[in-house]
Amino acid sequence: MSITVVGSIAYDAVKTPFGERERMLGGAAVHFALAASFFAEVRVVGPVGDDFGEAELDVLRSRGVNISDIERVAGGKTFFWRGEYGWDLNSRETLDTQLGVFEGFQPKLSATSRSSDVLFLANIQPDLQREVRTQLPGARFVALDSMNLWIDIARDSLVQAIESVDCVILNDSELRQLTGKPNLLAAAQEILSWAPADEERPGVGGPQVIVAKQGEYGAALVTRDGFFALPAYPLETVIDPTGAGDTFAGGMMGYLARRGRVTSATLRRGMAYGTVLASFNVEDFGVRRVASLTRPRVEARLREFRKILKF
Amino acid sequence: MSITVVGSIAYDAVKTPFGERERMLGGAAVHFALAASFFAEVRVVGPVGDDFGEAELDVLRSRGVNISDIERVAGGKTFFWRGEYGWDLNSRETLDTQLGVFEGFQPKLSATSRSSDVLFLANIQPDLQREVRTQLPGARFVALDSMNLWIDIARDSLVQAIESVDCVILNDSELRQLTGKPNLLAAAQEILSWAPADEERPGVGGPQVIVAKQGEYGAALVTRDGFFALPAYPLETVIDPTGAGDTFAGGMMGYLARRGRVTSATLRRGMAYGTVLASFNVEDFGVRRVASLTRPRVEARLREFRKILKF
């Protein structure tokens, strides 16, 4: 099974209590793709500038990621983000964002990327998410991420985007902000009640699966008939949380793409894989840890995680 | 097996987004005792004033709690707390605290209370916790709770109190504040390294079990050789979080007292019972829900909780 992800491919400059790095490979689509690559063929769609290096592309290539739809914009500059984390790594400040080639980005998907069974719309402008969604009408499982900015300035478009997907993966604070409901279950139930107004799209039923990302506390899953939650994998040292949420989504969606069926059991196991992948991601700066990871190490940590959670 | 708890017996005035109540039965020792009473014989030690009613004592009596060591101070007023919760119930403001009979409280434990196998030192001045600890030298498992106030103004005494117990149950923010370590595991490891300076007490080895209360995210357990975490039991409506932490501790410690052995397995199951009891506690104001609960309902929710967590 294959999976297409549309989102940012970036250079990140990050400062944490453990050090700082300039111009690391980053971006939601990159973190997602590396994590998902342990389970399925991944196709990445997104723009980069002239400044984007072959070494960075090689990181993706070495994990078998299909990069044919990474569009190099002549004369453009790659998306750049600079952020700094506070003492406890739970708060972070964005110091600089340079959209570069993301300004005016029009996603062009090849036939290959359009043929994927699974689609992940990483956090980009909701209009673009909807545009890409229409290019994969036959995708069997579609999820999206978003952020507080779009809830603030493009809520209507975001709601329409959500109505067009099967799964919403948001930070729990964003779920609350989006719905105005402080209780996580109530917020999720609210979104599960959203369905597209367009009666002529009988196949599209609106979101069925809500995933709340809770940072160091883990993640929770809400469907119409169930709830599931996992703590984060315990780590004594966290170096750089950047990309943890996208890595989680990549592990989860990659596993779902591999299994081919979305059931309560595969969703739960997918979340466990996502949690494990995210725990590797935060152990080093940028994508270093996940890019050099092996599947046996992923499996070993999943077994360890199961033991930890038993009672 | 029996369990002694020392702590506040109070009247609470609480305002949440779901309503407000004046002069409800509350206090850490009360919430703890009601939860623990589902598993073991509980002895409550603490002072009340002339204003404390028989109806409130009956709530404890009806759950079989031993109230012989609830000391009625002539001319005194019962501890009173007034608080208000914010929109999402995660923030709360203390509007009034009247210590009343707690000012100058000197715990006097009967032979019965001193003979318990398990002791819980609820959140009171650390000097008092240490004083009570010495009155149960033979207790097989002793835990304490505390709060940011004591870390701020009585840190040395609190550290000594911690060195004299087996188990520390704190909010995760308090664990961080107490140790200066932002990472939960690192903070817990730090406390696990504390041991009493007094070489003449060879039987006392310092804390072995650290429990981090994480509010709506659940709770985590750290021992020298293991980690465990549980999310909170999912509820669509939370009415009043007051006493959830003490109810959790009561469920956990009560279960440990019943089982008589503290092992990785009983600690984990104890935390699951604590989580379930706490979920009942927050479903209504004050102690209403837990006071009218039955053991079969507790067991039914525990079974439900197990199903929820399976993957």
Side-chain angles (χ1 to χ4, degrees):
Chain A
M1 292 284 184
S2 55
I3 184 165
T4 291
V5 53
V6 183
S8 61
I9 301 157
Y11 280 119
D12 286 347
V14 172
K15 185 173 178 182
T16 85
F18 298 92
E20 42 188 320
R21 295 290 185 279
E22 296 287 329
R23 282 183 83 73
M24 299 184 295
L25 173 61
V30 170
H31 283 287
F32 180 94
L34 290 174
S37 72
F38 287 91
F39 308 99
E41 193 199 320
V42 188
R43 293 128 186 192
V44 178
V45 180
V48 296
D50 287 333
D51 56 339
F52 199 72
E54 276 302 308
E56 281 75 23
L57 290 175
D58 280 344
V59 171
L60 292 164
R61 281 193 197 104
S62 73
R63 290 272 343 131
V65 174
N66 182 327
I67 58 168
S68 315
D69 280 0
I70 293 186
E71 182 190 354
R72 195 180 284 274
V73 180
K77 277 194 73 177
T78 301
F79 183 95
F80 176 78
W81 178 79
R82 180 184 295 278
E84 182 172 345
Y85 289 83
W87 178 73
D88 66 359
L89 295 171
N90 288 325
S91 64
R92 86 170 174 201
E93 198 185 348
T94 290
L95 301 172
D96 192 8
T97 305
Q98 294 174 23
L99 289 178
V101 292
F102 245 87
E103 214 148 5
F105 168 54
Q106 288 298 329
K108 297 171 204 72
L109 279 69
S110 62
T112 304
S113 289
R114 285 201 306 272
S115 70
S116 290
D117 308 287
V118 174
L119 170 65
F120 184 65
L121 305 164
N123 166 35
I124 51 175
Q125 218 285 341
D127 293 346
L128 291 181
Q129 293 180 314
R130 290 160 58 202
E131 161 62 22
V132 172
R133 176 69 184 92
T134 62
Q135 294 189 39
L136 281 88
R140 296 193 307 141
F141 193 69
V142 182
L144 70 68
D145 185 14
S146 191
M147 71 184 292
N148 53 352
L149 173 69
W150 308 125
I151 301 173
D152 286 335
I153 69 171
R155 190 179 186 282
D156 289 351
S157 181
L158 175 58
V159 169
Q160 287 181 54
I162 288 172
E163 288 172 358
S164 77
V165 301
D166 306 289
C167 173
V168 175
I169 303 178
L170 287 176
N171 293 330
D172 62 354
S173 62
E174 293 161 351
L175 285 170
R176 293 183 166 109
Q177 184 192 351
L178 179 62
T179 58
K181 291 187 186 292
N183 178 281
L184 175 62
L185 267 187
Q189 297 293 353
E190 165 80 18
I191 296 173
L192 288 173
S193 76
W194 295 353
D198 185 351
E199 302 279 336
E200 291 176 21
R201 291 185 293 163
V204 182
Q208 312 286 318
V209 177
I210 312 294
V211 177
K213 294 180 286 183
Q214 302 171 321
E216 66 163 327
Y217 298 113
L221 170 84
V222 185
T223 61
R224 281 200 181 78
D225 48 33
F227 178 90
F228 177 60
L230 279 176
Y233 183 87
L235 293 172
E236 203 162 337
T237 306
V238 173
I239 299 291
D240 174 15
T242 311
D246 296 305
T247 304
F248 168 84
M252 177 178 173
M253 298 285 289
Y255 178 78
L256 290 172
R258 182 190 197 84
R259 291 299 300 271
R261 289 182 61 210
V262 178
T263 66
S264 175
T266 57
L267 283 168
R268 286 164 179 237
R269 196 155 319 157
M271 281 184 61
Y273 273 111
T275 299
V276 163
L277 264 304
S279 76
F280 284 113
N281 177 75
V282 303
E283 287 185 323
D284 203 343
F285 281 97
V287 301
R288 274 180 66 99
R289 190 81 177 88
V290 174
S292 63
L293 202 58
T294 61
R295 181 73 188 267
R297 298 208 68 151
V298 173
E299 295 299 332
R301 189 168 283 186
L302 185 76
R303 283 194 299 275
E304 190 56 36
F305 195 38
R306 274 186 191 285
K307 261 194 266 175
I308 281 172
L309 299 178
K310 211 165 249 172
F311 77 91
Chain B
M1 294 282 184
S2 54
I3 184 164
T4 292
V5 54
V6 182
S8 61
I9 300 157
Y11 281 119
D12 287 345
V14 172
K15 186 173 179 183
T16 85
F18 298 92
E20 42 189 319
R21 295 291 185 278
E22 296 285 331
R23 280 183 84 74
M24 298 184 296
L25 173 60
V30 170
H31 283 287
F32 180 95
L34 290 174
S37 72
F38 287 91
F39 307 100
E41 193 199 319
V42 187
R43 293 127 186 195
V44 178
V45 180
V48 296
D50 287 333
D51 55 340
F52 200 72
E54 276 303 307
E56 281 75 21
L57 289 175
D58 281 343
V59 171
L60 291 164
R61 281 193 197 103
S62 73
R63 289 273 342 130
V65 173
N66 182 328
I67 58 169
S68 314
D69 280 359
I70 293 184
E71 183 190 353
R72 196 179 285 271
V73 180
K77 276 195 74 177
T78 302
F79 182 94
F80 176 77
W81 178 80
R82 181 184 293 279
E84 181 172 347
Y85 290 83
W87 178 73
D88 66 0
L89 295 172
N90 287 325
S91 63
R92 84 169 175 203
E93 199 184 349
T94 290
L95 301 172
D96 192 9
T97 305
Q98 295 174 23
L99 290 177
V101 291
F102 246 88
E103 214 147 8
F105 168 53
Q106 289 298 329
K108 297 170 202 72
L109 279 69
S110 63
T112 303
S113 290
R114 285 202 305 272
S115 70
S116 289
D117 309 288
V118 175
L119 170 64
F120 184 65
L121 306 164
N123 167 35
I124 51 175
Q125 218 286 341
D127 293 345
L128 291 181
Q129 292 180 314
R130 289 160 58 202
E131 161 62 22
V132 173
R133 175 69 185 92
T134 62
Q135 294 190 38
L136 282 88
R140 297 194 307 140
F141 194 69
V142 182
L144 70 68
D145 185 14
S146 190
M147 73 184 292
N148 53 350
L149 173 69
W150 308 124
I151 302 174
D152 285 335
I153 69 170
R155 190 179 186 282
D156 289 351
S157 181
L158 175 58
V159 169
Q160 287 180 55
I162 288 173
E163 288 172 356
S164 77
V165 302
D166 305 290
C167 173
V168 174
I169 304 178
L170 287 176
N171 292 331
D172 61 354
S173 62
E174 293 161 352
L175 285 171
R176 293 183 166 109
Q177 185 193 350
L178 180 61
T179 58
K181 292 188 185 293
N183 177 283
L184 174 61
L185 267 187
Q189 297 293 354
E190 165 80 17
I191 297 173
L192 288 173
S193 75
W194 296 353
D198 186 351
E199 302 280 337
E200 291 174 24
R201 291 184 293 160
V204 182
Q208 313 286 318
V209 177
I210 312 294
V211 177
K213 295 181 285 183
Q214 303 172 320
E216 66 163 327
Y217 298 113
L221 170 84
V222 185
T223 60
R224 282 199 182 78
D225 47 34
F227 179 92
F228 177 60
L230 279 175
Y233 184 87
L235 293 172
E236 203 162 340
T237 305
V238 173
I239 299 292
D240 175 13
T242 310
D246 295 305
T247 305
F248 167 85
M252 176 177 174
M253 299 284 290
Y255 178 77
L256 290 173
R258 182 189 197 84
R259 290 300 300 271
R261 288 183 62 210
V262 178
T263 65
S264 173
T266 57
L267 283 168
R268 286 165 179 235
R269 196 154 319 154
M271 282 184 60
Y273 273 111
T275 300
V276 163
L277 264 303
S279 77
F280 284 112
N281 176 74
V282 303
E283 287 184 324
D284 204 343
F285 281 97
V287 302
R288 273 180 67 98
R289 189 80 176 87
V290 174
S292 63
L293 202 57
T294 61
R295 181 75 188 266
R297 298 209 68 153
V298 173
E299 295 299 333
R301 189 169 283 187
L302 185 76
R303 283 194 298 275
E304 190 56 37
F305 195 37
R306 275 186 190 286
K307 260 195 267 177
I308 280 173
L309 300 178
K310 212 165 248 171
F311 76 91

